[in-house]
Amino acid sequence: MAKSTSSDVLTLIRSLRSAYAATPTNLKVVYMGIVGSFPFNSFLSGVLSCVGTAVLAVCLRIQVNKENKEFKDLPPERAFADFVLCNLVLHLVIMNFLG
Amino acid sequence: MVAPVEPKPGGTLRNAFGGVLGFFILLLIGVLAFSIRLFSVIKYESVIHEFDPYFNYRVTQFLTKNGIYEFWNWFDDRTWYPLGRVIGGTVYPGLTLTAGTMWWILNSLNIPLSVETVCVFTAPVFSAFAAWATYFLTKEVKGIGSGLTAATLLALVPSYISRSVAGSYDNEAVAIFALIFTFFLYIKTLNTGSLFYATLNALSYFYMVCSWGGYTFIINLIPMHALLCIVTGRYSSRLYIAYAPLVVLGTLLAALVPVVGFNAVMTSEHFASFLVFIIIHVVAFVYFIKGILSPKMFKVAITLVLTVGIAVCIAVIAILVALVASSPTKGWSGRSLSLLDPTYASKYIPIIASVSEHQPPTWPSYFMDINILAFLVPAGIIACFLPLSDASSFVVLYLVTSVYFSGVMVRLMLVLAPAACILSGIALSEAFDVLTQSVKLQLVKLLEGPLSNSGDTKDENSTAQNDVLKADKQVATNNKTEDVKERPSKKNRKKDKENTEKAPVKSHNEKRLLALPLEASAIAIILLVVLGSLYVIHCVWAAAEAYSAPSIVLTSRSHDGLHVFDDFREAYAWLRHNTEVDDKVASWWDYGYQTTAMANRTVIVDNNTWNNTHIATVGTAMSSPEKSAWEIFNSLDVKYVLVVFGGLVGYPSDDINKFLWMVRIGGGVFPHIKEPDYLRDGQYRIDAQATPTMLNCLMYKLSYYRFVETDGKGFDRVRRTEIGKKHFKLSHFEEVFTTHHWMVRIYKLKPPKNRMKGKTKKPKHTSKPLSGARRDGSTKKNPWQ
């Protein structure tokens, strides 16, 4: 019983995670495999944009998680502001790099 | 003298004054860092130093004159003739942009400084910034006291002074600040777990990428630290926040710098960061699952995750290996390879090996460059291990890697210097803490004896006891530090003896406090102050005497006073005023940057050394006999040839001493130049015993032409010998200018004769290299015909 529950949970998490973060990247990579990576900077910025947003979202969720004891002194407002700033920088760079 | 003691009040005063005092001490440290680097301006003048700074200066001038867009598109046709060089895409723009911005700000504030002045003083200004960055970094690791000590040490460390005296306008000047600041922000992010600092960290990394090729050190060191944390079980979400955004943002930002471009994702130097990026995600995922599952279920789940993870890892590694194996140099650039394998450069790339700063350092140079820090560092390492935190483990890792790198290349001693400063700052500060604490304690006890009934003393005593309780643990742990540091001195044994002798006499709680006796700690403090003073004296000496010479103006002190040799600028000024604007000047590549910057004439090769064949062509010409050299130079459209000759005044780094490298580099591309032809029994000599090839090559002739007229014997003061061939004439070159001390000699190529005196146009290709002296120019040796 226990095993089936755990694997259920696992599959759930993994499907969620992959649906949430990795799909666009995978699509990109698949696209690259098919079409080729000629405008390499466009491809790169596309992939890194996806990865970057995913990473930042993970960071944000770690920080605003109520059960996480490590960030007691970091108010969620601050975390959100940081997240917005970071995303802003990221996407400014992406836009610049897109060529 | 005061400097090492200075940080003491900032370290202990934990009251309101502490902040203000600390601020002023920081300010003073900045002033100190700035002013100790002004010796070169005071002793010489406000000039740009050496070789590379002249190029940076020229680029900055272009930038301030033409603006940023022109700068990115700048194709320089005055160098590497006839190839030219794309400056905008091949230069690290951080330094020039910084100086250009500073100049622009000053000018818009109506402070009319010249570009040169700004360039000269960029390095000292940034060394003050670097000292402050060191303060912040060390403060994050070990507290304010250590921070101030480390900042003071960094402001003075000779290794850094050597690269950042006023006028030394080179990439390292700003890069070291960027390096330390990036590390500080990484540590700060690691300690706070704030995305804001992570963003700043990425931006600071961007600045570092702009400034110096040494940014690969950061992008390998930080992953190493992240991996270390994971392996030792110190993973936390703060580590994730510090690392993951840095990789993504940092990679993107690095790819924005033209000179790096797609290298940021394509070369092996950066793969480590991506690998650790994947690993940290796997680990984060594991921790995440561990958090939401019960321990029992986790055990079951972990096998599943492990199999998936291992499969992914294997796939990634396979891809990486395939990528790396497919690229010709395994994806590593020559300099990085010679870092991993110290013998690589000398085996395969003579042009990297020929640069003296790429060679391994000697032991004395360690003592010269970091002085007493070398002895304080072990103590600092121990201090870092007692409570080991993420931050202190980072500092230790930084030190260990930089020690290795500095052992490979003398130039990277510069990277070691901040690490050594931080660790010895920690060591010094901790030692002072322990010693002054125990002095304080002992004084209290001395007072306690006669006045045991006084409430005042009791009060004082109780506060002191509180202090002690607080510091108790620290004292206990730091005794070890103290011991290690004092080991070389014999005072240590004496102190131990005193400690055991006086232990029974002291009061009952003495044993728990583990304080040192008064005399011993007083002596130790004095010794530390003396040690610090020695360091300061050494640093000031190094700054004033050893590292301030601009190397374009030379001085020598002899019995009849001070001699100034300003021959280089004399020669460049001559070129600037007496030759046509479009004339091409050939010289060995060392003088390329200076010729373009100071004489504004087109050169064939310069210090950028991006085209080995081109340099080899010049090397071949210099080591060929006159006629074939003339043909090579003529085919390159060269009008003037410039050689540097130190034989008259004893200037050791002249072209004759560099000549073997010309032969080697030339021979690497054009095999008819053979090194043994220039050596007599494996020895390099220019006297009568020298080989005929040597005595007939162009470099010899241009250097020693008419030399015998100076003293009648032709005595070379550098080689300390009489030259081998004294009286000869030049058939294809004519001397047009020789500077006052004969240090720079400029020759003009004679125009081709109208009539070839019955000579066939196509000379035979000499089959045997034995007759090297009479070798005629063959068509093959010259790629430009």
Side-chain angles (χ1 to χ4, degrees), chain B residues 345-356:
Chain B
S346 51
K347 265 188 284 186
Y348 300 109
I349 317 175
I351 206 150
I352 289 185
S354 76
V355 181
S356 64

Side-chain angles (χ1 to χ4, degrees), chain B residues 357-378:
Chain B
E357 63 184 16
H358 289 163
Q359 271 150 15
T362 52
W363 285 112
S365 72
Y366 273 96
F367 187 73
M368 174 72 194
D369 276 355
I370 57 176
N371 202 245
I372 62 157
L373 303 186
F375 310 115
L376 287 174
V377 159

Side-chain angles (χ1 to χ4, degrees), chain B residues 465-485:
Chain B
Q465 292 296 343
N466 279 345
D467 239 344
V468 168
L469 283 176
K470 204 169 63 189
D472 194 357
K473 205 168 140 195
Q474 204 187 355
V475 169
T477 50
N478 286 330
N479 268 341
K480 215 182 255 176
T481 318
E482 171 53 28
D483 278 345
V484 170
K485 214 173 51 43

Side-chain angles (χ1 to χ4, degrees), chain B residues 438-490:
Chain B
S438 52
V439 165
K440 208 162 124 194
L441 261 178
Q442 304 296 336
L443 281 180
V444 166
K445 287 212 183 82
L446 282 183
L447 289 175
E448 191 188 13
L451 302 170
S452 55
N453 286 337
S454 159
D456 191 30
T457 322
K458 219 178 202 169
D459 201 27
E460 197 187 340
N461 195 20
S462 67
T463 55
Q465 292 296 343
N466 279 345
D467 239 344
V468 168
L469 283 176
K470 204 169 63 189
D472 194 357
K473 205 168 140 195
Q474 204 187 355
V475 169
T477 50
N478 286 330
N479 268 341
K480 215 182 255 176
T481 318
E482 171 53 28
D483 278 345
V484 170
K485 214 173 51 43
E486 291 288 327
R487 189 166 290 156
S489 71
K490 63 180 180 188

